[in-house]
Amino acid sequence: METQFYILLSVSTPQGFVNYGKYFFGNGREAAYELFNSLKGSQDTKAPLHIDLMETVGDLPVKIKTICCTLEELGCNSKLIAREIFRLKNLEDM
């Protein structure tokens, strides 16, 4: 089974964090790590928005890294993620 990478978005609620979005990268480990490391945010776990780099091992999800961000940082990060996925998917077709 092939390893898959994705970014998981979650928001803090009184009941805990709730996932609300995923960006799939496919099996490109280097591209996923490079993009995640370029995202804006910090390790401040009190921030209401979390972005996790996830990997599937077998069929099980494994959290690799987490950053926390503000709404403004999330907007910048979403733009970077969408641009990189667009670039990667279009390069695959060439």
Side-chain angles (χ1 to χ4, degrees):
M1 175 152 295
E2 207 171 306
T3 300
Q4 296 288 309
F5 294 90
Y6 60 96
I7 286 180
L8 184 63
L9 306 174
S10 58
V11 63
S12 179
T13 70
Q15 295 77 28
F17 280 90
V18 175
N19 300 334
Y20 68 91
K22 281 185 186 178
Y23 291 101
F24 288 97
F25 285 102
N27 60 356
R29 178 181 304 272
E30 285 184 35
Y33 274 72
E34 186 177 321
L35 173 62
F36 193 83
N37 290 331
S38 71
L39 298 179
K40 296 179 181 185
S42 69
Q43 299 301 317
D44 177 15
T45 57
K46 294 179 182 154
L49 301 166
H50 284 197
I51 302 174
D52 302 313
L53 178 59
M54 305 291 291
E55 173 181 5
T56 56
V57 177
D59 286 332
L60 300 174
V62 176
K63 188 183 301 185
I64 299 169
K65 293 181 179 182
T66 299
I67 60 170
C68 307
C69 60
T70 64
L71 187 57
E72 185 174 318
E73 290 170 329
L74 178 65
C76 292
N77 290 339
S78 294
K79 183 177 177 180
L80 286 171
I81 293 166
R83 182 175 42 207
E84 184 64 13
I85 290 174
F86 179 83
R87 188 185 70 77
L88 288 172
K89 296 302 178 188
N90 282 297
L91 287 176
E92 286 176 2
D93 294 339
M94 295 179 130

